[in-house]
Structures are given as structure tokens and as C-alpha cells.
Amino acid sequence: MHQITEKGLLVAVLFGGFGGGPLWAAESLTGTYTLRGTQGAITLVLNQEANGKVSGSLNGGDLALVLKGMAQPTGVVVGATATAQGQFASYFHVTRVGDQVAFDLIGSNAKNEPDLSKKTRITFPLTVPGLALAQGYPAKAIRVVVPT
């Protein structure tokens, strides 16, 4: 199997449409996002540093992945996922779309490059604890932001 490498991360960054300028996003996606799946909760954790580096995890059901990536000036985060043992699993692309966080797992082709035909999207709705319930809607996800 493949290890997450600087080259693999670079491919993911290039895949994400990296232009010039700073690597950090205008709005940080740092937080914990939870969604009820068919096999229980799916949890996405993202930690974005001031320099744009992003780390985190995706867990739930059969998923147990470690995330490493870079934020782009557009607010998109791209990178690679690995198993707990450090073996490359897939690429990822995450962005905020309105009141949702769209997380795409993207498989690779024979050359270990991202292959969009192997994309799986997981959408995490954003809600503020208490607000959705006060409006009479069930809370689907909770975003917890830790001030830095």
C-alpha cells in the first residue's frame, strides 16, 4: 500500500486547484461535525493551523481515517487520508456549501492520482445547538468551534 507522502499531498493540493498566494482559507473549517449514518454516528474533526495546514479524522461505521491537508484561499481544504497504520486510503476535498460541510472521499487511479469517478460525498449539515430544536427542526449535526 501507499504511505501518505509529501508527493501525495502535493498531488492533492494541485488537484484542488491551488493557484498562487497564501495557503490558508478565508474562513477556517476547524470544528467537529457529526452526522447520523446507517451504522451510527459519522464524525469529521478538522483542525486548521494559522499556516493553512489541516489535520483531523473521519470516523464512523467502517471508517477510521486520519486526515492531512492544506486549506486553499477559496476556503476549500484538500489532502489525503490514511489508515491508523499510516497507509494511504484516499484523497479528500472538503468545503462549506451554504449551511453544510461537503466532504468528498476521492479514490485514486493506477498512477495514484485522484480519480473523480471514485468520489463519495458525505454532507454534514450545520446547526447551532439549541437553535434547530427551538425552531422545531431536529438537530442533524453539531459544529463545535474551539477558539484559538
Side-chain angles (χ1 to χ4, degrees):
M1 295 314 284
H2 305 286
Q3 297 278 341
I4 289 185
T5 63
E6 293 294 324
K7 179 182 175 189
L9 188 55
L10 179 59
V11 169
V13 169
L14 291 174
F15 166 73
F18 173 71
L23 294 176
W24 52 93
E27 180 182 354
S28 173
L29 289 173
T30 293
T32 299
Y33 307 90
T34 301
L35 173 69
R36 294 277 177 224
T38 57
Q39 297 180 356
I42 300 171
T43 302
L44 170 65
V45 177
L46 296 172
N47 300 301
Q48 184 174 327
E49 299 175 16
N51 63 3
K53 289 184 180 180
V54 177
S55 61
S57 62
L58 180 66
N59 294 289
D62 294 335
L63 294 172
L65 300 172
V66 176
L67 312 175
K68 291 185 182 179
M70 292 295 291
Q72 305 299 298
T74 60
V76 172
V77 175
V78 295
T81 70
T83 65
Q85 295 76 31
Q87 296 296 312
F88 172 81
S90 66
Y91 295 100
F92 75 89
H93 174 273
V94 62
T95 188
R96 183 173 177 173
V97 180
D99 63 349
Q100 299 178 327
V101 172
F103 183 89
D104 296 327
L105 282 171
I106 304 166
S108 58
N109 61 23
K111 295 181 181 180
N112 200 30
E113 299 167 337
D115 182 347
L116 287 176
S117 71
K118 298 178 181 177
K119 178 176 85 169
T120 301
R121 175 163 283 185
I122 303 170
T123 303
F124 295 88
L126 297 177
T127 60
V128 176
L131 178 62
L133 296 175
Q135 294 176 340
Y137 297 103
K140 294 181 181 177
I142 297 172
R143 178 179 184 204
V144 179
V145 177
V146 179
T148 54

PDB file of all heavy atoms in Angstrom, residues 93-117:
ATOM      1  N   HIS A  93     -11.516  16.190  -0.255  1.00  0.00           N
ATOM      2  CA  HIS A  93     -11.827  17.572  -0.622  1.00  0.00           C
ATOM      3  C   HIS A  93     -12.971  17.967   0.291  1.00  0.00           C
ATOM      4  O   HIS A  93     -13.975  17.263   0.375  1.00  0.00           O
ATOM      5  CB  HIS A  93     -12.256  17.580  -2.099  1.00  0.00           C
ATOM      6  CG  HIS A  93     -12.738  18.882  -2.611  1.00  0.00           C
ATOM      7  ND1 HIS A  93     -14.053  19.275  -2.502  1.00  0.00           N
ATOM      8  CD2 HIS A  93     -12.098  19.862  -3.274  1.00  0.00           C
ATOM      9  CE1 HIS A  93     -14.194  20.460  -3.090  1.00  0.00           C
ATOM     10  NE2 HIS A  93     -13.031  20.836  -3.561  1.00  0.00           N
ATOM     11  N   VAL A  94     -12.836  19.058   1.022  1.00  0.00           N
ATOM     12  CA  VAL A  94     -13.905  19.489   1.922  1.00  0.00           C
ATOM     13  C   VAL A  94     -14.112  20.994   1.780  1.00  0.00           C
ATOM     14  O   VAL A  94     -13.156  21.757   1.627  1.00  0.00           O
ATOM     15  CB  VAL A  94     -13.614  19.079   3.388  1.00  0.00           C
ATOM     16  CG1 VAL A  94     -12.356  19.722   3.916  1.00  0.00           C
ATOM     17  CG2 VAL A  94     -14.783  19.373   4.292  1.00  0.00           C
ATOM     18  N   THR A  95     -15.364  21.394   1.776  1.00  0.00           N
ATOM     19  CA  THR A  95     -15.704  22.805   1.647  1.00  0.00           C
ATOM     20  C   THR A  95     -17.043  23.066   2.320  1.00  0.00           C
ATOM     21  O   THR A  95     -17.854  22.153   2.492  1.00  0.00           O
ATOM     22  CB  THR A  95     -15.763  23.238   0.162  1.00  0.00           C
ATOM     23  OG1 THR A  95     -15.904  24.643   0.082  1.00  0.00           O
ATOM     24  CG2 THR A  95     -16.898  22.567  -0.575  1.00  0.00           C
ATOM     25  N   ARG A  96     -17.256  24.299   2.678  1.00  0.00           N
ATOM     26  CA  ARG A  96     -18.553  24.697   3.212  1.00  0.00           C
ATOM     27  C   ARG A  96     -19.415  25.140   2.038  1.00  0.00           C
ATOM     28  O   ARG A  96     -18.987  25.941   1.200  1.00  0.00           O
ATOM     29  CB  ARG A  96     -18.401  25.814   4.220  1.00  0.00           C
ATOM     30  CG  ARG A  96     -19.725  26.197   4.843  1.00  0.00           C
ATOM     31  CD  ARG A  96     -19.574  27.176   5.953  1.00  0.00           C
ATOM     32  NE  ARG A  96     -20.901  27.522   6.436  1.00  0.00           N
ATOM     33  CZ  ARG A  96     -21.108  28.253   7.495  1.00  0.00           C
ATOM     34  NH1 ARG A  96     -20.086  28.701   8.188  1.00  0.00           N
ATOM     35  NH2 ARG A  96     -22.334  28.534   7.867  1.00  0.00           N
ATOM     36  N   VAL A  97     -20.632  24.618   1.980  1.00  0.00           N
ATOM     37  CA  VAL A  97     -21.586  24.982   0.941  1.00  0.00           C
ATOM     38  C   VAL A  97     -22.857  25.431   1.655  1.00  0.00           C
ATOM     39  O   VAL A  97     -23.616  24.597   2.148  1.00  0.00           O
ATOM     40  CB  VAL A  97     -21.887  23.793  -0.005  1.00  0.00           C
ATOM     41  CG1 VAL A  97     -22.880  24.198  -1.073  1.00  0.00           C
ATOM     42  CG2 VAL A  97     -20.608  23.243  -0.618  1.00  0.00           C
ATOM     43  N   GLY A  98     -23.046  26.732   1.740  1.00  0.00           N
ATOM     44  CA  GLY A  98     -24.210  27.252   2.464  1.00  0.00           C
ATOM     45  C   GLY A  98     -24.160  26.846   3.914  1.00  0.00           C
ATOM     46  O   GLY A  98     -23.196  27.123   4.617  1.00  0.00           O
ATOM     47  N   ASP A  99     -25.190  26.141   4.364  1.00  0.00           N
ATOM     48  CA  ASP A  99     -25.254  25.703   5.755  1.00  0.00           C
ATOM     49  C   ASP A  99     -24.843  24.241   5.913  1.00  0.00           C
ATOM     50  O   ASP A  99     -25.300  23.545   6.811  1.00  0.00           O
ATOM     51  CB  ASP A  99     -26.653  25.930   6.327  1.00  0.00           C
ATOM     52  CG  ASP A  99     -27.719  25.122   5.609  1.00  0.00           C
ATOM     53  OD1 ASP A  99     -27.414  24.553   4.535  1.00  0.00           O
ATOM     54  OD2 ASP A  99     -28.857  25.051   6.107  1.00  0.00           O
ATOM     55  N   GLN A 100     -23.956  23.783   4.998  1.00  0.00           N
ATOM     56  CA  GLN A 100     -23.470  22.403   5.049  1.00  0.00           C
ATOM     57  C   GLN A 100     -21.963  22.355   4.847  1.00  0.00           C
ATOM     58  O   GLN A 100     -21.374  23.254   4.267  1.00  0.00           O
ATOM     59  CB  GLN A 100     -24.133  21.562   3.960  1.00  0.00           C
ATOM     60  CG  GLN A 100     -25.637  21.473   4.081  1.00  0.00           C
ATOM     61  CD  GLN A 100     -26.247  20.683   2.950  1.00  0.00           C
ATOM     62  OE1 GLN A 100     -25.755  20.695   1.832  1.00  0.00           O
ATOM     63  NE2 GLN A 100     -27.325  19.992   3.244  1.00  0.00           N
ATOM     64  N   VAL A 101     -21.368  21.267   5.308  1.00  0.00           N
ATOM     65  CA  VAL A 101     -19.971  20.964   5.010  1.00  0.00           C
ATOM     66  C   VAL A 101     -19.978  19.726   4.119  1.00  0.00           C
ATOM     67  O   VAL A 101     -20.488  18.678   4.505  1.00  0.00           O
ATOM     68  CB  VAL A 101     -19.151  20.703   6.297  1.00  0.00           C
ATOM     69  CG1 VAL A 101     -17.765  20.196   5.952  1.00  0.00           C
ATOM     70  CG2 VAL A 101     -19.058  21.973   7.121  1.00  0.00           C
ATOM     71  N   ALA A 102     -19.453  19.879   2.907  1.00  0.00           N
ATOM     72  CA  ALA A 102     -19.388  18.772   1.947  1.00  0.00           C
ATOM     73  C   ALA A 102     -18.005  18.149   2.021  1.00  0.00           C
ATOM     74  O   ALA A 102     -17.001  18.818   1.768  1.00  0.00           O
ATOM     75  CB  ALA A 102     -19.676  19.277   0.541  1.00  0.00           C
ATOM     76  N   PHE A 103     -17.952  16.871   2.377  1.00  0.00           N
ATOM     77  CA  PHE A 103     -16.696  16.129   2.489  1.00  0.00           C
ATOM     78  C   PHE A 103     -16.688  15.064   1.405  1.00  0.00           C
ATOM     79  O   PHE A 103     -17.556  14.191   1.386  1.00  0.00           O
ATOM     80  CB  PHE A 103     -16.566  15.480   3.870  1.00  0.00           C
ATOM     81  CG  PHE A 103     -15.275  14.762   4.066  1.00  0.00           C
ATOM     82  CD1 PHE A 103     -14.172  15.433   4.554  1.00  0.00           C
ATOM     83  CD2 PHE A 103     -15.145  13.423   3.741  1.00  0.00           C
ATOM     84  CE1 PHE A 103     -12.957  14.779   4.728  1.00  0.00           C
ATOM     85  CE2 PHE A 103     -13.943  12.755   3.916  1.00  0.00           C
ATOM     86  CZ  PHE A 103     -12.846  13.439   4.404  1.00  0.00           C
ATOM     87  N   ASP A 104     -15.728  15.136   0.492  1.00  0.00           N
ATOM     88  CA  ASP A 104     -15.608  14.176  -0.600  1.00  0.00           C
ATOM     89  C   ASP A 104     -14.406  13.272  -0.378  1.00  0.00           C
ATOM     90  O   ASP A 104     -13.283  13.763  -0.236  1.00  0.00           O
ATOM     91  CB  ASP A 104     -15.433  14.877  -1.951  1.00  0.00           C
ATOM     92  CG  ASP A 104     -16.625  15.716  -2.345  1.00  0.00           C
ATOM     93  OD1 ASP A 104     -17.754  15.338  -1.989  1.00  0.00           O
ATOM     94  OD2 ASP A 104     -16.438  16.751  -3.011  1.00  0.00           O
ATOM     95  N   LEU A 105     -14.637  11.966  -0.332  1.00  0.00           N
ATOM     96  CA  LEU A 105     -13.556  10.982  -0.374  1.00  0.00           C
ATOM     97  C   LEU A 105     -13.340  10.664  -1.840  1.00  0.00           C
ATOM     98  O   LEU A 105     -14.298  10.356  -2.560  1.00  0.00           O
ATOM     99  CB  LEU A 105     -13.949   9.706   0.363  1.00  0.00           C
ATOM    100  CG  LEU A 105     -13.884   9.745   1.880  1.00  0.00           C
ATOM    101  CD1 LEU A 105     -14.505   8.492   2.467  1.00  0.00           C
ATOM    102  CD2 LEU A 105     -12.452   9.890   2.342  1.00  0.00           C
ATOM    103  N   ILE A 106     -12.091  10.748  -2.309  1.00  0.00           N
ATOM    104  CA  ILE A 106     -11.794  10.568  -3.727  1.00  0.00           C
ATOM    105  C   ILE A 106     -10.739   9.475  -3.880  1.00  0.00           C
ATOM    106  O   ILE A 106      -9.616   9.615  -3.388  1.00  0.00           O
ATOM    107  CB  ILE A 106     -11.292  11.888  -4.350  1.00  0.00           C
ATOM    108  CG1 ILE A 106     -12.333  12.987  -4.121  1.00  0.00           C
ATOM    109  CG2 ILE A 106     -10.981  11.710  -5.830  1.00  0.00           C
ATOM    110  CD1 ILE A 106     -11.840  14.383  -4.381  1.00  0.00           C
ATOM    111  N   GLY A 107     -11.118   8.405  -4.544  1.00  0.00           N
ATOM    112  CA  GLY A 107     -10.191   7.302  -4.783  1.00  0.00           C
ATOM    113  C   GLY A 107      -9.117   7.693  -5.779  1.00  0.00           C
ATOM    114  O   GLY A 107      -9.165   8.761  -6.398  1.00  0.00           O
ATOM    115  N   SER A 108      -8.140   6.819  -5.942  1.00  0.00           N
ATOM    116  CA  SER A 108      -7.042   7.107  -6.869  1.00  0.00           C
ATOM    117  C   SER A 108      -7.053   6.128  -8.036  1.00  0.00           C
ATOM    118  O   SER A 108      -7.631   5.050  -7.957  1.00  0.00           O
ATOM    119  CB  SER A 108      -5.689   7.043  -6.147  1.00  0.00           C
ATOM    120  OG  SER A 108      -5.503   5.776  -5.575  1.00  0.00           O
ATOM    121  N   ASN A 109      -6.391   6.551  -9.129  1.00  0.00           N
ATOM    122  CA  ASN A 109      -6.276   5.678 -10.301  1.00  0.00           C
ATOM    123  C   ASN A 109      -4.990   4.852 -10.194  1.00  0.00           C
ATOM    124  O   ASN A 109      -4.306   4.884  -9.165  1.00  0.00           O
ATOM    125  CB  ASN A 109      -6.320   6.507 -11.595  1.00  0.00           C
ATOM    126  CG  ASN A 109      -5.184   7.514 -11.689  1.00  0.00           C
ATOM    127  OD1 ASN A 109      -4.132   7.376 -11.055  1.00  0.00           O
ATOM    128  ND2 ASN A 109      -5.388   8.554 -12.483  1.00  0.00           N
ATOM    129  N   ALA A 110      -4.636   4.144 -11.253  1.00  0.00           N
ATOM    130  CA  ALA A 110      -3.450   3.274 -11.251  1.00  0.00           C
ATOM    131  C   ALA A 110      -2.150   4.058 -11.043  1.00  0.00           C
ATOM    132  O   ALA A 110      -1.159   3.499 -10.577  1.00  0.00           O
ATOM    133  CB  ALA A 110      -3.381   2.488 -12.559  1.00  0.00           C
ATOM    134  N   LYS A 111      -2.157   5.352 -11.367  1.00  0.00           N
ATOM    135  CA  LYS A 111      -0.965   6.190 -11.175  1.00  0.00           C
ATOM    136  C   LYS A 111      -0.973   6.899  -9.822  1.00  0.00           C
ATOM    137  O   LYS A 111      -0.178   7.794  -9.583  1.00  0.00           O
ATOM    138  CB  LYS A 111      -0.891   7.236 -12.292  1.00  0.00           C
ATOM    139  CG  LYS A 111      -0.672   6.645 -13.660  1.00  0.00           C
ATOM    140  CD  LYS A 111      -0.596   7.756 -14.687  1.00  0.00           C
ATOM    141  CE  LYS A 111      -0.393   7.194 -16.080  1.00  0.00           C
ATOM    142  NZ  LYS A 111      -0.323   8.266 -17.093  1.00  0.00           N
ATOM    143  N   ASN A 112      -1.909   6.499  -8.946  1.00  0.00           N
ATOM    144  CA  ASN A 112      -2.054   7.099  -7.623  1.00  0.00           C
ATOM    145  C   ASN A 112      -2.444   8.574  -7.695  1.00  0.00           C
ATOM    146  O   ASN A 112      -2.101   9.361  -6.827  1.00  0.00           O
ATOM    147  CB  ASN A 112      -0.793   6.909  -6.771  1.00  0.00           C
ATOM    148  CG  ASN A 112      -1.100   7.085  -5.283  1.00  0.00           C
ATOM    149  OD1 ASN A 112      -2.196   6.804  -4.829  1.00  0.00           O
ATOM    150  ND2 ASN A 112      -0.130   7.573  -4.545  1.00  0.00           N
ATOM    151  N   GLU A 113      -3.174   8.945  -8.737  1.00  0.00           N
ATOM    152  CA  GLU A 113      -3.689  10.303  -8.890  1.00  0.00           C
ATOM    153  C   GLU A 113      -5.173  10.301  -8.555  1.00  0.00           C
ATOM    154  O   GLU A 113      -5.845   9.271  -8.706  1.00  0.00           O
ATOM    155  CB  GLU A 113      -3.488  10.783 -10.332  1.00  0.00           C
ATOM    156  CG  GLU A 113      -2.036  10.829 -10.744  1.00  0.00           C
ATOM    157  CD  GLU A 113      -1.874  11.001 -12.251  1.00  0.00           C
ATOM    158  OE1 GLU A 113      -2.809  10.665 -13.009  1.00  0.00           O
ATOM    159  OE2 GLU A 113      -0.803  11.462 -12.654  1.00  0.00           O
ATOM    160  N   PRO A 114      -5.711  11.434  -8.093  1.00  0.00           N
ATOM    161  CA  PRO A 114      -7.143  11.488  -7.778  1.00  0.00           C
ATOM    162  C   PRO A 114      -7.994  11.127  -8.993  1.00  0.00           C
ATOM    163  O   PRO A 114      -7.713  11.535 -10.110  1.00  0.00           O
ATOM    164  CB  PRO A 114      -7.358  12.947  -7.388  1.00  0.00           C
ATOM    165  CG  PRO A 114      -6.004  13.434  -6.987  1.00  0.00           C
ATOM    166  CD  PRO A 114      -5.025  12.697  -7.834  1.00  0.00           C
ATOM    167  N   ASP A 115      -9.040  10.331  -8.761  1.00  0.00           N
ATOM    168  CA  ASP A 115      -9.957   9.893  -9.817  1.00  0.00           C
ATOM    169  C   ASP A 115     -11.374  10.279  -9.391  1.00  0.00           C
ATOM    170  O   ASP A 115     -11.970   9.624  -8.530  1.00  0.00           O
ATOM    171  CB  ASP A 115      -9.838   8.383 -10.006  1.00  0.00           C
ATOM    172  CG  ASP A 115     -10.709   7.843 -11.121  1.00  0.00           C
ATOM    173  OD1 ASP A 115     -11.607   8.571 -11.605  1.00  0.00           O
ATOM    174  OD2 ASP A 115     -10.505   6.678 -11.505  1.00  0.00           O
ATOM    175  N   LEU A 116     -11.913  11.341  -9.992  1.00  0.00           N
ATOM    176  CA  LEU A 116     -13.225  11.847  -9.602  1.00  0.00           C
ATOM    177  C   LEU A 116     -14.356  10.858  -9.841  1.00  0.00           C
ATOM    178  O   LEU A 116     -15.427  10.984  -9.250  1.00  0.00           O
ATOM    179  CB  LEU A 116     -13.519  13.168 -10.308  1.00  0.00           C
ATOM    180  CG  LEU A 116     -12.726  14.361  -9.779  1.00  0.00           C
ATOM    181  CD1 LEU A 116     -13.021  15.611 -10.599  1.00  0.00           C
ATOM    182  CD2 LEU A 116     -13.022  14.602  -8.326  1.00  0.00           C
ATOM    183  N   SER A 117     -14.134   9.859 -10.689  1.00  0.00           N
ATOM    184  CA  SER A 117     -15.180   8.851 -10.887  1.00  0.00           C
ATOM    185  C   SER A 117     -15.308   7.949  -9.657  1.00  0.00           C
ATOM    186  O   SER A 117     -16.253   7.185  -9.543  1.00  0.00           O
ATOM    187  CB  SER A 117     -14.903   8.011 -12.141  1.00  0.00           C
ATOM    188  OG  SER A 117     -13.794   7.151 -11.927  1.00  0.00           O
TER     189      SER A 117
END
